Amino acid sequence: MSLPYYHVNVFTGIKSCRVMEDPQPLAKVLKKAERPLMVFGPKCNEVNLDGKLLMEYGVEIAKTLGAAVCATANTKKKLLELGVTPDSTYDAVEIVNHLKDPNWKGVKKQGNHDFVLFLGVRPDLGNQGLSTLKHFATHLKTVTLCKYVFPNATFSLPNLKDDKWKEYLENLIQGLKS
Amino acid sequence: MSKGAVKQKEINKTIRAEDNWEPIGPTPMPEMSDLRRWDLRLMKTYKPFYAPFCDLCCFCTYGKCDLTEDKKGACGINISGQQGRWGLIFSLMGCSAHGAHGRHLIDYLIEKYGEDYKIDLGGQVDVEAPHMRTVMGLKPETLGDLRKGIEYVERGIIHGVSATHMGQEGSDIDFESKSLHIGMLDHVAMEVADIAQTIGFKFPTSKAETALSGLGWGAVDKTKPVVTCVGHNAAVATVMIDHLMKAGIYDQVEVTGICCTAHDNIRYSDKAKVIGPLSKQVFFLKTGIADLVMSDEQCVRCDIPQLAKESGSALIATSDKISYGLDDVTHKEVDEIVRLITQEGKQVLIRDVDKAGEVAAKVLPVVAKNRKKELVTKEKAQELAQACKKCELCDRVCPNFLNISTAVSDVKEGKFDMMTSVFARCVGCGKCEQECSKDIPIIKIMQAAASWDTYNIRVGRGPIQDVEIRKVGAPIVLGTIPGIIAIVGCSNYPEEIEEVAEIAEEFAKRKYIVVLSGCAAMAAGMKKDAEGKTIYDKYKPDFDAGGVLNVGSCVANAHITGAAMKVANIFAKLPLRANYEVIADYILNRVGAVGLVWGSYSQKAFAIGTGCNRLGIPVVLGPHSAKYRRLYLSRKEEDDWTVMDGRKKELVNTEEPSPEHLMVVTESKERAIITLARLCIRKNDTAQGRQIKLNHYISLYKQYMGSLPDDLQNFVRNDKDIPIVYKKEVSEYLKTVGWKPKPLLTLPTFIGTYESNIPIDAVVK
Ligand code: SF4
Ligand code: SF4
Ligand code: SF4
């Protein structure tokens, strides 16, 4: 694992993420998920990757994967504008709190999720929520799609510049579609 | 250990059991586990949620121990227990800081006035100390009684600390119960400290409309000698102001402060000025505007001696809690100390309040002479930024994830907008500058990008008046005043410093009661509208619908929670005396008060929040606060929302998650606002009150989330609860989600839903 981009997320522990340098193996792993959930954080409203809103990448990934959608913070409005009605609206810590419970019915009431994708959550809050899941939700896998290393996720992207990140997300979407 | 006859006798003596102002309730001076059943009841609904910051424990020489997933440490503790232990430690740190502050003030004031010095908070405050009354069962009359309060807190702290030793407590729930206990003691400590300073330094009390004081680094006249007090204990500053007045030079100098001492200084003299919150400490000290820096205690940076030296400011440290390795000159004569500072340029520690105040007043005009105070100009900033090679090392260490590298590179090209925005979000840690491989003085560059505007802050008013409680008690409990929003805590906001003012104004406009304290009260004054007015200029300072009031420094927070207790006492006529469980239950189920710690920073803020939680007041936190690792969350759909109908003595499944959480983190301002509005909902609301609360909740949700709230069905009990303006829309929505009317109840209480010695009748008056 490389050092997280933000030092505030520096890792102090034993079990850390697998950094997925290449999007294709990640796409492969994701495709195996039975009940994936995509969690949108507030950066999805703000970050623009060369003309395309981060949220749009997230929506495309969720759609391709058939993932349920959870809107956190103030992302619901923008999702609605993009024509996506989220399956649930929670704060980041609330959805994490539900995910901890293996018997939870999930946002679609069809059973708890087995794979959770996070995009656009504030890096410190995100890494801590992932720590909750790492310790208390061993029944699920997590992946972060932000451009930084998140040590507490199961799978993480490497630290990337915006152009490489865009490329990664695009290749990931291709991989999911193929 | 249960209480034996000797212990009971001691308690009776301490609280003067024979005084019959109210009957003594079930828990006078509770020990660590005496309210445990209440805590367990709270945690049945609001379970601890942990987000471990570190997977290891390194508390003893067995370790480091890996506690990942279900692994146990060599002592048997697991990761939940370890997080609970951290929570207790944070609460203890916070409570100790307030407690030691109170202890110092009381010892000083007792030396000065004697222990029989009377407590008099003016004609409008009869219930002088709701926390001491409710927790201890003591109605304090003198400074000596206040000391009893601190002694009680000190005793609690020993037991709390001992539980954190390796191999003692192992259960997360029990760590939490202890943490809640220490949080409760923290409010006693704060109340004691603020009453002591109010009577000892004659701060305003029993007055709502206090003066407005100057706020902001721009408010300081740097052509005058400037002293800057940093910290939380105003004892030395008050003495210094007296000496400056006596010498006839008070008008010719600037007495300024950062953090809570600044609040207390303006309560002592409204000519003093507030520079700003904790997050501006490094920024201001690096300007060199202060000729003399005086540090006291708590939230004072550990590198003040270096910062002062670098800026050419003199330094007097005045607290034995922060000695900085300086020479202790307490025993020397005043003139000799003045000489050491003014002629030898020494930084000193003076642990005697009166001597430190006198020395400061003498030193100030001398050290100010011949000092040049030049701020960094735009041209200079551009020159300083030239070395930047955009390596991004600064960005990587920023705890607020700011894009400093771009801001510095922009300055290099003479563009300052980005740096202005970084400055507005900067939490003032100084890490970027430390990390810079080119030694660029980033914080100094901010001088050229910062606004140097002057603002106003309302001088802290101390306790809420009894007469105000009489007026608002009924509307709060019935719900027609939609809630009390208490904005407290430090200043590491996720976004701009102006966010706090925006949140406060959103609720003031909607006729909630907005109460502020500490650094949050300062930040709230740092935004002006188009007409140049701050929220303190615009809103009335009353504890009433649409009021915006500042209670004062951190320790004045006790008056906010105290106001909720007073509603139970003055409006609902419930006795306070040693009756904590009943009062907390009343507040949880019937008083729509919510705290917002948007920029939690110190452990004191954590202890305050934890104390609010035991008292039934939910707290919303900003994203930084997740690093305290513990929240209290419910799961609205899954949890059991059964309460007792106190009048009918029947259990009722209300199906209503109100309040939904006790401590929750929100990530954006918009989400915080919505959550605050939701957490003001209480089971006791009348239909009219519920309509008003839902009206705000729906309109805020629509504004920020673009739809009706998707949990609306949880809060509509029957048709009468639906706000008229949204009637059609809400009715249609409720149909689509299969909503059914919910049972109504007249007096919601937790008493009777768990094993307790409290009879249900105790909540009925
Ligand atoms: S206190 Fe317990 S878990 Fe921590 S280092 Fe010691 S043995 Fe290990
Ligand atoms: S660390 Fe210094 S040199 Fe590097 S980007 Fe930041 S300001 Fe520029
Ligand atoms: S001083 Fe401000 S900008 Fe620099 S690292 Fe700290 S918070 Fe970030």
Side-chain angles (χ1 to χ4, degrees), chain B residues 183-480:
Chain B
M184 177 186 77
L185 298 189
D186 185 45
H187 287 255
V188 174
M190 291 192 291
E191 181 175 86
V192 165
D194 203 59
I195 294 177
Q197 61 178 357
T198 302
I199 58 170
F201 305 141
K202 306 203 169 29
F203 288 168
T205 173
S206 278
K207 185 175 172 192
E209 186 142 16
T210 48
L212 289 168
S213 243
L215 167 70
W217 40 95
V220 183
D221 180 352
K222 60 183 178 17
T223 62
K224 292 180 176 175
V226 177
V227 54
T228 300
C229 308
V230 188
H232 287 69
N233 187 334
V236 174
T238 60
V239 176
M240 175 187 67
I241 291 173
D242 290 347
H243 278 282
L244 290 168
M245 281 180 176
K246 218 159 92 190
I249 55 169
Y250 187 44
D251 284 346
Q252 295 150 39
V253 304
E254 287 276 59
V255 173
T256 69
I258 301 176
C259 258
C260 283
T261 303
H263 269 298
D264 295 327
N265 285 355
I266 59 170
R267 284 168 89 184
Y268 191 65
S269 155
D270 56 33
K271 302 268 177 305
K273 286 174 182 164
V274 177
I275 287 162
L278 175 58
S279 57
K280 300 304 169 205
Q281 216 174 104
V282 177
F283 166 77
F284 185 77
L285 293 182
K286 278 184 180 263
T287 64
I289 291 174
D291 297 295
L292 170 63
V293 178
M294 286 216 301
S295 65
D296 50 81
E297 60 173 290
Q298 308 159 53
C299 306
V300 181
R301 279 189 65 98
C302 305
D303 57 354
I304 293 250
Q306 292 95 302
L307 286 166
K309 190 167 261 163
E310 191 189 298
S311 310
S313 315
L315 171 67
I316 302 174
T318 64
S319 168
D320 51 9
K321 292 173 207 87
I322 313 182
S323 305
Y324 291 130
L326 301 176
D327 277 351
D328 183 353
V329 295
T330 312
H331 57 285
K332 293 193 193 291
E333 296 294 325
V334 168
D335 288 342
E336 171 59 6
I337 306 174
V338 172
R339 192 191 66 76
L340 286 172
I341 299 171
T342 56
Q343 292 182 25
E344 291 190 20
K346 263 189 158 276
Q347 300 181 330
V348 298
L349 168 68
I350 311 174
R351 291 177 297 111
D352 176 303
V353 168
D354 293 319
K355 196 176 269 186
E358 189 181 347
V359 169
K362 288 194 167 168
V363 157
L364 177 60
V366 184
V367 292
K369 259 188 218 150
N370 306 326
R371 276 192 77 234
K372 275 214 185 101
K373 300 178 195 174
E374 278 170 11
L375 298 176
V376 173
T377 59
K378 286 209 154 63
E379 294 69 37
K380 181 74 186 163
Q382 196 174 346
E383 187 189 317
L384 292 169
Q386 287 310 310
C388 179
K389 56 184 169 76
K390 211 158 188 301
C391 62
E392 295 184 12
L393 287 175
C394 47
D395 298 344
R396 297 187 71 162
V397 294
C398 179
N400 217 12
F401 316 116
L402 302 174
N403 192 343
I404 308 149
S405 60
T406 309
V408 177
S409 337
D410 276 6
V411 169
K412 201 168 157 181
E413 291 165 22
K415 293 185 279 184
F416 284 83
D417 287 358
M418 181 82 181
M419 189 54 95
T420 303
S421 132
V422 163
F423 177 68
R425 291 167 167 79
C426 170
V427 300
C429 69
K431 285 195 210 167
C432 51
E433 191 169 299
Q434 171 180 272
E435 204 70 13
C436 179
S437 53
K438 292 287 172 190
D439 292 330
I440 297 173
I442 300 170
I443 314 285
K444 275 197 169 164
I445 288 178
M446 289 178 183
Q447 289 173 26
S451 153
W452 286 83
D453 214 345
T454 303
Y455 306 90
N456 280 334
I457 182 168
R458 174 91 44 208
V459 169
R461 53 116 95 183
I464 310 304
Q465 299 168 18
D466 296 12
V467 56
E468 292 174 298
I469 301 285
R470 248 169 238 125
K471 190 171 162 211
V472 299
I476 289 173
V477 173
L478 302 176
T480 48

Side-chain angles (χ1 to χ4, degrees), chain B residues 551-709:
Chain B
V551 285
S553 60
C554 276
V555 287
N557 275 311
H559 303 311
I560 304 179
T561 39
M565 293 166 138
K566 285 195 193 188
V567 171
N569 182 232
I570 296 171
F571 164 68
K573 307 264 183 287
L574 290 171
L576 294 179
R577 194 174 196 186
N579 203 18
Y580 190 89
E581 219 162 319
V582 168
I583 298 300
D585 176 72
Y586 183 90
I587 294 171
L588 177 74
N589 287 297
R590 294 192 257 175
V591 179
V594 188
L596 173 69
V597 191
W598 193 230
S600 170
Y601 194 135
S602 73
Q603 293 89 357
K604 290 182 296 168
F606 184 82
I608 294 169
T610 303
C612 285
N613 290 164
R614 196 184 222 190
L615 193 59
I617 299 177
V619 177
V620 177
L621 304 169
H624 287 279
S625 309
K627 289 181 226 166
Y628 281 124
R629 308 143 208 229
R630 185 268 278 138
L631 303 170
Y632 294 125
L633 303 179
S634 82
R635 287 172 58 199
K636 57 183 172 228
E637 297 95 345
E638 280 77 11
D639 280 330
D640 177 7
W641 297 98
T642 298
V643 295
M644 179 66 71
D645 185 327
R647 253 184 264 281
K648 293 190 187 154
K649 302 201 174 51
E650 279 171 15
L651 289 172
V652 180
N653 182 3
T654 65
E655 301 161 31
E656 178 178 293
S658 62
E660 191 178 335
H661 303 300
L662 272 189
M663 196 176 265
V664 63
V665 160
T666 55
E667 205 179 340
S668 66
K669 178 189 81 177
E670 296 80 5
R671 190 75 191 171
I673 289 174
I674 290 168
T675 307
L676 286 166
R678 186 173 68 238
L679 291 182
C680 283
I681 294 173
R682 289 293 178 283
K683 294 190 177 64
N684 198 59
D685 298 337
T686 57
Q688 190 197 359
R690 180 61 61 90
Q691 270 196 32
I692 293 172
K693 291 187 184 188
L694 286 181
N695 191 16
H696 293 300
Y697 181 46
I698 294 170
S699 98
L700 287 165
Y701 201 96
K702 284 185 148 216
Q703 182 180 339
Y704 295 121
M705 309 291 266
S707 72
L708 281 176

Side-chain angles (χ1 to χ4, degrees), chain B residues 57-65 67 73-75 77 85 166:
Chain B
C57 174
C58 50
F59 276 13
C60 84
T61 55
Y62 269 131
K64 296 182 174 181
C65 296
L67 305 178
C75 62
I77 203 166
R85 174 155 67 172
M166 72 80 68

Side-chain angles (χ1 to χ4, degrees), chain A residues 4-5 7 12 15 42 73-74 76-77 89-91 94 98 101 104 122 128 131-132 134-135 161, chain B residues 50-52 55 69 80 392 396 400 624 626-627 635 637-638 661 667-668 670-671 703 705 707 710:
Chain A
Y5 182 81
H7 290 199
T12 36
K15 187 184 168 191
N74 50 327
K76 184 176 177 183
K77 193 172 186 175
T89 315
Y90 288 110
D91 282 311
E94 288 177 324
H98 281 300
D101 174 5
W104 184 46
R122 195 183 143 97
Q128 280 209 258
S131 164
T132 305
K134 180 174 89 175
H135 287 282
K161 297 270 184 209
Chain B
Y50 296 120
D55 302 342
E69 296 173 1
S80 301
E392 295 184 12
R396 297 187 71 162
N400 217 12
H624 287 279
K627 289 181 226 166
R635 287 172 58 199
E637 297 95 345
E638 280 77 11
H661 303 300
E667 205 179 340
S668 66
E670 296 80 5
R671 190 75 191 171
Q703 182 180 339
M705 309 291 266
S707 72
D710 47 14

